[in-house]
Amino acid sequence: MAVRSDPTRPALGRPPSPRGGGSARVLPGLIPGLVALAFIALLIGGAFVGLLVEAARNPAGAVSAFDTYLLRIAGFTLWQAALSTVLSVAPAIVVARALSRHPRFPGRAALLRLFSLPLALPAVVAALGMLALYGRAGFLAPLLGWFAGGDWPGIYGLSGILAAHVFFNLPLASRLLLEALDAVPDDRWRLASQLGMGPRAAFNLVEWPAIRVALPGAAGLIFMLCVASFTVVLMLGGGPGATTLEVAIYQALRFDFDPARAVALTLAQLVLTVAVIAMLARIGADPAREPNIAVSRRRFVAASTGETAANAAIILLAALFVAGPLAATVAAGLGADLTRLAGEASVQRAAVTSLALAALSAALAVTLTLALVLARAALEAARRRGADRSWLEFASDTGAGFVLVVPPVVIGAGWFILLRTIADVFVLAPVMVVTVNAVMAMPFVLRAVRPAHDAASARYDRLAEQLGITGWNRFRLVDLPPLRRPLATGLAFAMALSLGDLGVIALYGSDAVQTLPYLLLQRMGSYRTQDAAGLALFLGLLCLGLMLLADRLGRRASR
Amino acid sequence: MKSAGLAVTLDQAAFSYGGAPMLFDVRFEPGVITAIMGPSGSGKSTLLSLVAGFETPTAGRILIGDDDVTSTAPSARPVSMIFQENNLFAHLDAGANVGLGISPSLRLTDADRARIAEALSRTGLAGMETRLPGQLSGGERQRVSLARALVRDRPVLLLDEPFASLGPALRDEMIALLAEVQGERGMTVLFVTHQPEDARRAAARLVYVEDGRVGASGSSADMFGAAGPAAFHRYLGARPAK
């Protein structure tokens, strides 16, 4: 298209006349997209207005809140993220290499599926699983205590945060690096085995170059996820020694009620995320990235017996590390009095609230995505006729992914500060949960929907134009039918994301509006650990089911 | 129902994708099949796109009959077009795909449905209304496209290598069907093809496109004849004139 849209082409005779067909098609497609962009801008902009208004109201307070406490917390945020990244990525190199050396063994596909589970699980469930396994009263406490030579203190604070982050990100990093190794051309492997390269030479000459290319992207993505981690730090961190900026924002608003401090913390978090994003953009990482691994590759390398044994041990260890907390979640959940729990009115109410809010949020996410996809297509169609790529087209395309850089807690905090003087913020909980989660899910839904839409559009644009199928008819007869399945994928995915969210509801939750994650947090806070474990099992199964559904629908769609 | 063909005129129509400029100045006779031939990238498809309205000339005019359609939307031009592939919406059955030629909103009366059935049976697909494109062969899909062109009933029919992906026997059948239908309706047909046999069999006239302009044109017989234009014969290569 770059050639076609050359704006410098000489105007021969007279300028191209605007055609009825062209302009009539552009406008109707554009309006929903503009509304969607305006909505997203309002949601994020409103949060910023809240912060600015508060800062202007009490500038001295905001400035004085930039104290050593804030610096220490900002430092801890970066420190734990850096450690989490190193602890996730370094072992992942070994794991990915072991998996790549053995492209076929029984259970390999199941193992890769297992590695995709942690990120599909709500953070609140995973954090609870870590506690159920490694906590002071966890399943492994006796064993770990024996190793430690005394009572096992449990994983709280930095160690807990790191363990949970590695649980999430080691499998992610392994999959990303394995994807990079799988992308090495078969011929290079053939050559390596033909030249008789041993494992070391093959690593230096074939594997490491591929890993090195993928490493910055994987590390950057994980660093960003850890900088913005809220739930894990809230549940496993503790005290001023192990608090990140996001959790500090939450504490400033919910416990200390210190808006000036919240403003300062939020600004610091924003500066941090923007810096991290700038770094990510520089190394070309994608915040909405998902690894895509072929199930098995042909085998060209014959590993020696010793290496095979070492690799088997590495793979087994990684599998145990990932499966452990999952199994602990199930075991602890089954240990809870599930029938009593299911009969409790508060649990039922929270379940209904959760499902309703998640469904609304998913519907909103899908609607926003659809509007943006159609707007982008309309803008591209207009551009083909000679215009430049506008900021609007960018905003409905790559730009949409940038909402991920604004942490949900920051948006929640901004509106919390803005609205607290004029309304009861806790009444707004449902609105905030639905809208913020919808906007956060949107980039992922976009990823499922856009390729399908663009493929259909490439096939049908001229046909529809020729037959005069425009506007609503085009949407109904041409655009929508091929998108049903990707939209269903997006819907299930967005619903799972929203169901498991603890960020916004932690700020806005109250006795009046409780979701399952919020209820879980409350039960933990009042030391009803068994109840929390039961809720976690239920929530985990629900989200996992939705994620699997999304995955299955997506697979069939791409066939 | 006979849509008398209209002449199609490109009057010094200039266009460029940013590379070498193209300039078409040619008149297509009304009511006959004209084959358009030429090397890949010579501008055959661009010429059809200009007539269909998918591209707008940077200078010059496009006339259909006596009407200047240079800035008319594609669907408002008295033109139907059949592409090489993707002529059908995969999620709509054959009947609906034909029906879109009658109503872009697919609101069809019983009379419309009768017309659809008639067009499908004319193209050899009687009773296949409820088949989805995926259940049809490549040749059958192009028959559905032709049926839609029949119900749309526009004076000009543009064909952009519509039979290129069909085997020789199927292509022969389709060419014969096209010639029959054109004989009944008398519409003007512009037919881009790479196959000299197609042009010989069905086209009364032939336009040779080369380097973004019309290199030569005339009756098929003259063009293929021993005294035909040298450039066209170079393009055909050494093949004995029948």
Side-chain angles (χ1 to χ4, degrees):
Chain A
M1 283 311 120
V3 188
R4 284 182 171 214
S5 61
D6 180 10
T8 59
R9 78 178 172 203
L12 299 172
R14 62 178 172 74
S17 51
R19 284 185 304 110
S23 48
R25 247 197 68 199
V26 168
L27 276 175
L30 210 50
I31 290 165
L34 287 176
V35 173
L37 280 176
F39 176 80
I40 295 166
L42 176 72
L43 188 71
I44 295 175
F48 286 124
V49 169
L51 296 174
L52 290 176
V53 165
E54 179 60 34
R57 228 171 51 92
N58 183 6
V63 168
S64 68
F66 279 96
D67 52 12
T68 48
Y69 168 77
L70 186 142
L71 279 180
R72 200 169 63 228
I73 287 179
F76 180 78
T77 306
L78 289 174
W79 175 236
Q80 61 83 21
L83 278 180
S84 301
T85 306
V86 171
L87 290 177
S88 301
V89 172
I93 296 177
V94 183
V95 174
R97 187 187 158 279
L99 282 168
S100 141
R101 294 287 277 184
H102 302 277
R104 274 182 205 174
F105 60 84
R108 190 177 189 267
L111 187 75
L112 290 177
R113 304 221 91 191
L114 174 72
F115 275 20
S116 69
L117 286 187
L119 275 188
L121 216 56
V124 61
V125 174
L128 216 62
M130 299 303 287
L131 283 179
L133 192 62
Y134 305 113
R136 193 147 56 119
F139 292 115
L140 285 183
L143 185 69
L144 292 166
W146 183 75
F147 271 122
D151 273 351
W152 172 248
I155 46 156
Y156 267 109
L158 182 60
S159 62
I161 294 170
L162 292 182
H165 281 168
V166 175
F167 168 72
F168 277 118
N169 295 314
L170 171 77
L172 173 67
S174 302
R175 290 166 71 222
L176 288 170
L177 296 180
L178 181 61
E179 189 191 353
L181 283 170
D182 277 355
V184 172
D186 283 353
D187 282 346
R188 209 168 295 168
W189 290 113
R190 287 201 188 95
L191 195 64
S193 66
Q194 218 222 332
L195 295 174
M197 284 186 198
R200 181 180 289 261
F203 181 77
N204 284 337
L205 296 170
V206 180
E207 290 163 344
W208 175 243
I211 291 176
R212 202 180 46 200
V213 171
L215 213 49
L221 175 65
I222 289 167
F223 187 73
M224 191 192 79
L225 289 174
C226 292
V227 163
S229 164
F230 173 76
T231 306
V232 163
V233 180
L234 180 66
M235 294 184 64
L236 297 173
T243 298
T244 55
L245 284 167
E246 290 206 16
V247 173
I249 294 167
Y250 158 78
Q251 284 165 345
L253 285 178
R254 282 294 293 241
F255 296 109
D256 312 334
F257 204 75
D258 188 348
R261 177 170 296 280
V263 167
L265 289 164
T266 311
L267 289 177
Q269 170 76 37
L270 272 175
V271 169
L272 218 63
T273 5
V274 167
V276 172
I277 291 302
M279 183 190 81
L280 280 183
R282 173 155 287 209
I283 58 184
D286 177 351
R289 183 88 207 267
E290 272 256 348
N292 187 11
I293 303 172
V295 175
S296 80
R297 191 167 44 79
R298 284 204 37 213
R299 177 180 179 148
F300 299 107
V301 195
S304 68
T305 327
E307 199 205 334
T308 305
N311 286 342
I314 290 164
I315 292 171
L316 192 68
L317 257 165
L320 284 177
F321 178 71
V322 175
L326 297 173
T329 306
V330 175
L334 292 177
D337 189 351
L338 291 172
T339 29
R340 176 184 54 80
L341 214 51
E344 271 185 41
S346 61
V347 173
Q348 289 169 356
R349 217 171 40 236
V352 169
T353 308
S354 266
L355 286 171
L357 294 184
L360 281 173
S361 175
L364 182 59
V366 165
T367 311
L368 288 173
T369 305
L370 206 53
L372 289 180
V373 164
L374 293 178
R376 199 197 67 86
L379 287 166
E380 197 193 311
R383 181 160 62 90
R384 209 175 285 159
R385 295 177 175 94
D388 275 327
R389 189 179 136 107
S390 61
W391 66 269
L392 212 57
E393 191 182 335
F394 176 78
S396 58
D397 181 9
T398 328
F402 281 101
V403 297
L404 289 180
V405 318
V406 191
V409 173
V410 167
I411 303 181
W415 280 94
F416 193 100
I417 293 168
L418 181 67
L419 295 174
R420 87 198 136 87
T421 46
I422 45 177
D424 178 4
V425 285
F426 299 109
V427 175
L428 294 165
V431 181
M432 289 311 293
V433 170
V434 167
T435 50
V436 174
N437 283 322
V439 169
M440 291 301 141
M442 182 267 296
F444 297 96
V445 184
L446 195 68
R447 180 159 289 251
V449 172
R450 223 191 89 185
H453 173 272
D454 287 0
S457 170
R459 282 177 75 163
Y460 297 138
D461 268 356
R462 286 196 160 186
L463 188 56
E465 208 179 337
Q466 147 83 188
L467 294 171
I469 308 171
T470 55
W472 173 244
N473 282 331
R474 183 181 155 109
F475 179 70
R476 182 171 63 93
L477 295 171
V478 180
D479 289 327
L480 197 55
L483 294 184
R484 290 225 169 94
R485 208 172 267 284
L487 285 175
T489 302
L491 206 63
F493 187 88
M495 199 165 161
L497 222 56
S498 171
L499 260 183
D501 173 69
L502 186 60
V504 180
I505 195 68
L507 280 177
Y508 287 86
S510 64
D511 287 341
V513 185
Q514 295 191 334
T515 62
L516 283 174
Y518 188 79
L519 190 66
L520 200 160
L521 192 68
Q522 272 203 334
R523 293 284 157 103
M524 263 193 65
S526 49
Y527 299 103
R528 294 166 72 180
T529 318
Q530 288 226 321
D531 282 8
L535 289 172
L537 180 63
F538 178 57
L539 188 62
L541 287 178
L542 211 57
C543 288
L544 229 54
L546 281 167
M547 285 291 189
L548 287 178
L549 182 71
D551 189 50
R552 176 153 302 186
L553 290 168
R555 253 164 233 273
R556 226 175 291 165
S558 63
R559 212 180 271 166
Chain B
M1 203 169 16
K2 189 167 164 121
S3 47
L6 295 173
V8 174
T9 312
L10 286 87
D11 174 18
Q12 298 288 336
F15 188 77
S16 165
Y17 285 120
M22 306 182 187
L23 186 66
F24 297 112
D25 193 49
V26 61
R27 179 172 186 274
F28 294 92
E29 297 292 323
V32 299
I33 300 181
T34 304
I36 302 173
M37 299 192 69
S40 299
S42 59
K44 304 184 295 291
S45 292
T46 307
L47 194 155
L48 282 203
S49 288
L50 286 167
V51 177
F54 298 128
E55 305 292 358
T56 309
T58 48
R61 297 184 305 160
I62 310 284
L63 299 161
I64 296 179
D66 295 326
D67 295 332
D68 184 342
V69 295
T70 313
S71 40
T72 309
S75 62
R77 298 187 183 200
V79 163
S80 284
M81 184 156 180
I82 299 178
F83 307 98
Q84 184 172 339
E85 47 198 8
N86 296 328
N87 284 295
L88 305 182
F89 295 103
H91 51 275
L92 297 177
D93 64 25
N97 267 295
V98 176
L100 283 171
I102 300 175
S103 157
S105 64
L106 218 49
R107 275 182 259 284
L108 302 169
T109 64
D110 286 343
D112 292 336
R113 286 182 211 288
R115 276 179 67 202
I116 294 166
E118 187 195 313
L120 279 171
S121 80
R122 179 66 196 86
T123 54
L125 298 175
M128 299 229 195
E129 279 90 339
T130 56
R131 297 280 185 90
L132 285 171
Q135 301 167 313
L136 298 171
S137 71
E140 285 169 335
R141 285 200 285 271
Q142 294 303 61
R143 284 170 190 265
V144 176
S145 321
L146 191 58
R148 182 170 58 214
L150 290 182
V151 299
R152 278 194 101 209
D153 202 26
R154 305 271 165 120
V156 176
L157 177 60
L158 308 175
L159 304 164
D160 193 358
E161 299 191 53
F163 313 135
S165 53
L166 305 182
L170 268 178
R171 208 174 61 231
D172 285 354
E173 275 176 37
M174 292 300 291
I175 295 281
L177 177 62
L178 173 67
E180 275 173 42
V181 166
Q182 195 275 333
E184 291 163 24
R185 299 284 177 102
M187 69 273 215
T188 308
V189 177
L190 275 55
F191 179 25
V192 169
T193 178
H194 272 293
Q195 303 293 333
E197 297 78 26
D198 291 0
R200 265 203 204 99
R201 184 166 304 134
R205 301 190 60 79
L206 197 149
V207 164
Y208 175 63
V209 176
E210 192 180 43
D211 295 335
R213 21 220 83 231
V214 171
S217 65
S219 78
S220 291
D222 290 347
M223 293 286 284
F224 282 111
F232 178 57
H233 280 260
R234 266 199 306 281
Y235 164 70
L236 289 176
R239 53 179 73 229
K242 280 180 190 163

